[in-house]
């Protein structure tokens, strides 16, 4: 059974139809790269998976439980339990500026209160070591580079032990020289078999790390394939035009 099953997803903002019957599935350990031009619906689709956007029609099933079925959502408590299976990393980090790195990481798990403070602190230190920022536990976000902030944001998402990580353009706010350090952390996660959906403009990441690429345009999935076939033998004219423009 697929870990995430999306069927006929529809979303409109007033008269503007942003998602048009989006259908795809994701298996455990998949790394899915979602690419496409600005305004194609990529971020809206991603945000709908974790209920940051409410959809107007269709279904999203996560690990056997429906977040939304035929446009109908369950009770808030069920929504919360389903979205807890996922972690999200945003384009602009969304760290709390008044909290240290360690406090940013420990805040969410400490609110859940099903784990001791010592265990949370230990996991925090392990994750900071993993992302190469063990020495920044007491630093504030203002004193970090963009790449460091994004690595902290990834660690913060991992603190809740999600089954799936969602990334919304995680490197687009970074200078090119800082992009590599974030992509390295993401590649490491892929090698550890973390299930990931990554909206990205990084064609190298999509080609080298993803095991499936979705190309979106005009609120639709135009083409989906394994990276080798997708990049070397695109089938749709819109895919070909996009790749010609974006592959250097």
């Amino acid at each position: 059974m697929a870990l995430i099953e999306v069927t006929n997803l529809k979303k409109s903002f007033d008269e503007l139809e942003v998602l048009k019957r989006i259908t795809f599935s994701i298996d455990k350990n998949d790394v899915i790269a979602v690419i496409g031009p600005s305004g194609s619906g990529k971020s809206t689709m991603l945000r709908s998976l974790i209920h940051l956007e409410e959809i107007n029609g269709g279904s999203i099933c996560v690990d056997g439980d429906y977040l939304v079925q035929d446009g109908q959502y369950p009770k808030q408590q069920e929504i919360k339990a389903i979205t807890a299976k996922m972690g999200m990393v945003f384009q602009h980090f969304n760290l709390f500026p008044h909290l240290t790195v360690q406090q940013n990481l420990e805040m969410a798990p400490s609110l859940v209160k099903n784990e001791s403070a010592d265990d949370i602190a230990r996991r925090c230190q392990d994750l900071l070591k993993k992302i190469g920022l063990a020495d920044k536990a007491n630093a504030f976000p203002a004193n970090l580079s963009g790449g460091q902030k994004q690595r902290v944001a990834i660690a913060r998402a991992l603190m809740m032990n999600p089954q799936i990580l969602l990334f919304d353009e995680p490197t687009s706010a970074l200078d090119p020289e800082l992009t590599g350090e974030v992509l390295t952390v993401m590649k490491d996660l892929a090698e550890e078999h973390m299930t990931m959906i990554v909206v990205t403009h990084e064609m190298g990441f999509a080609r080298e790390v993803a095991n499936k690429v979705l190309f979106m345009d005009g609120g639709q999935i135009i083409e989906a394939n394994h990276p080798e076939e997708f990049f070397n033998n695109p089938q749709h004219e819109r895919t070909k035009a996009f790749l010609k423009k974006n592959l250097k």
Side-chain angles (χ1 to χ4, degrees):
M1 186 180 69
L3 191 54
I4 297 181
E5 191 85 47
V6 176
T7 312
N8 292 330
L9 206 62
K10 292 189 282 186
K11 170 70 178 176
S12 298
F13 294 109
D14 297 323
E15 298 300 309
L16 180 65
E17 199 176 10
V18 182
L19 299 177
K20 305 170 184 176
R21 302 180 75 86
I22 295 282
T23 296
F24 65 95
S25 63
I26 292 166
D27 293 327
K28 188 174 166 54
N29 305 334
D30 273 351
V31 178
I32 308 293
V34 184
I35 65 173
S38 295
S40 58
K42 304 184 302 295
S43 291
T44 301
M45 181 275 290
L46 194 75
R47 289 168 63 85
S48 70
L49 298 182
I50 199 165
H51 198 236
L52 292 175
E53 297 283 359
E54 285 209 354
I55 59 144
N56 305 121
S59 302
I60 301 170
C61 187
V62 182
D63 194 28
D65 296 315
Y66 278 98
L67 173 65
V68 56
Q69 188 170 20
D70 297 326
Q72 300 297 310
Y73 285 90
K75 292 177 181 173
Q76 191 60 40
Q77 196 173 351
E78 290 177 60
I79 292 173
K80 196 172 176 183
I82 293 166
T83 55
K85 299 175 184 181
M86 297 175 273
M88 181 129 179
V89 179
F90 299 89
Q91 180 178 344
H92 292 292
F93 328 127
N94 290 16
L95 299 177
F96 294 107
H98 62 291
L99 301 180
T100 66
V101 165
Q102 182 166 345
Q103 289 167 335
N104 265 282
L105 264 64
E106 293 182 357
M107 183 179 177
S110 65
L111 291 174
V112 177
K113 295 184 173 64
N114 62 355
E115 198 176 2
S116 74
D118 286 347
D119 286 344
I120 292 171
R122 197 175 303 117
R123 195 160 79 258
C124 174
Q125 291 304 320
D126 288 345
L127 281 170
L128 287 177
K129 199 179 297 180
K130 180 188 181 78
I131 63 168
L133 293 174
D135 60 331
K136 299 293 185 183
N138 297 314
F140 286 90
N143 297 320
L144 302 177
S145 71
Q148 289 171 331
K149 288 176 190 174
Q150 194 59 291
R151 283 187 279 159
V152 170
I154 294 171
R156 182 179 61 178
L158 289 169
M159 281 293 289
M160 297 300 286
N161 293 318
Q163 292 176 248
I164 305 147
L165 269 187
L166 311 177
F167 293 85
D168 189 10
E169 295 277 13
T171 60
S172 63
L174 303 179
D175 294 333
E177 65 267 24
L178 299 177
T179 295
E181 62 191 55
V182 174
L183 292 178
T184 296
V185 172
M186 293 169 66
K187 287 175 187 174
D188 290 345
L189 289 172
E191 286 171 9
E192 293 166 12
H193 307 298
M194 169 61 77
T195 306
M196 300 193 285
I197 308 173
V198 185
V199 171
T200 185
H201 64 281
E202 296 289 340
M203 296 299 116
F205 178 87
R207 189 195 286 263
E208 295 161 29
V209 183
N211 66 310
K212 190 174 184 180
V213 181
L214 304 182
F215 173 64
M216 288 184 66
D217 194 14
Q220 297 174 294
I221 294 175
I222 303 297
E223 191 162 340
N225 216 328
H226 294 289
E228 189 173 349
E229 188 69 14
F230 180 89
F231 285 103
N232 295 334
N233 190 27
Q235 299 298 301
H236 200 286
E237 289 305 318
R238 277 150 95 181
T239 314
K240 292 175 184 175
F242 178 83
L243 291 177
K244 186 176 181 182
K245 186 178 176 184
N246 288 276
L247 287 178
K248 302 293 185 283

